[in-house]
Amino acid sequence: MTGTRDETVPLTVLDGDDRTELSVEPGRNLREALLEAGLSPYAAATRRLNCGGRGLCATCGVRIRGEAPPEHWHDRLAERFGYPRLSCQVTVDGPMTVELVDKLVWGPRGRPEGEE
């Protein structure tokens, strides 16, 4: 049966040398899917200091490989100039590979809370 909530799409997340394979419901917000899986797109300083996914702070940037047309004004600029896209403004509609990146302004990505 097509169109059921059981359908998922593959989401590959690259974090340095680590590779994580996720199955995500089509239509999910990329930032939310990453955070739910414990894969933060944020630098250590911005893990708490961010806009909560409203596309205002530009701290949740990731590199996207594959089909994910930009819909947000920031992502259209990112595509044009080659800088990371906002994970909070990307919808996972099909297979996608995402690379978690260090931030030029905010520094390297920190470890998730609870990890030493």
Side-chain angles (χ1 to χ4, degrees):
M1 174 188 247
T2 61
T4 66
R5 293 184 58 82
D6 293 336
E7 293 180 8
T8 60
V9 295
L11 173 63
T12 302
V13 183
L14 306 175
D15 185 5
D17 292 333
D18 294 334
R19 178 185 185 103
T20 303
E21 301 287 340
L22 303 174
S23 294
V24 179
E25 290 179 22
R28 286 288 313 271
N29 175 272
L30 176 58
R31 173 187 171 271
E32 291 174 8
L34 290 171
L35 291 174
E36 187 176 286
L39 300 165
S40 176
Y42 295 109
T46 60
R47 196 169 35 242
R48 286 198 168 92
L49 302 171
N50 62 70
C51 70
R54 294 186 298 272
L56 302 172
C57 69
T59 60
C60 65
V62 296
R63 299 260 179 221
I64 298 177
R65 301 176 188 171
E67 296 293 319
E71 297 176 6
H72 186 266
W73 66 267
H74 181 280
D75 285 340
R76 287 191 294 272
L77 290 174
E79 182 179 66
R80 182 174 177 187
F81 294 107
Y83 54 85
R85 300 219 2 230
L86 301 181
S87 62
C88 68
Q89 299 301 311
V90 175
T91 302
V92 180
D93 284 327
M96 181 184 299
T97 298
V98 175
E99 180 184 354
L100 303 179
V101 296
D102 288 339
K103 310 304 190 252
L104 183 62
V105 174
W106 296 107
R109 290 185 39 266
R111 294 177 189 224
E113 288 183 41
E115 287 188 14
E116 302 276 332

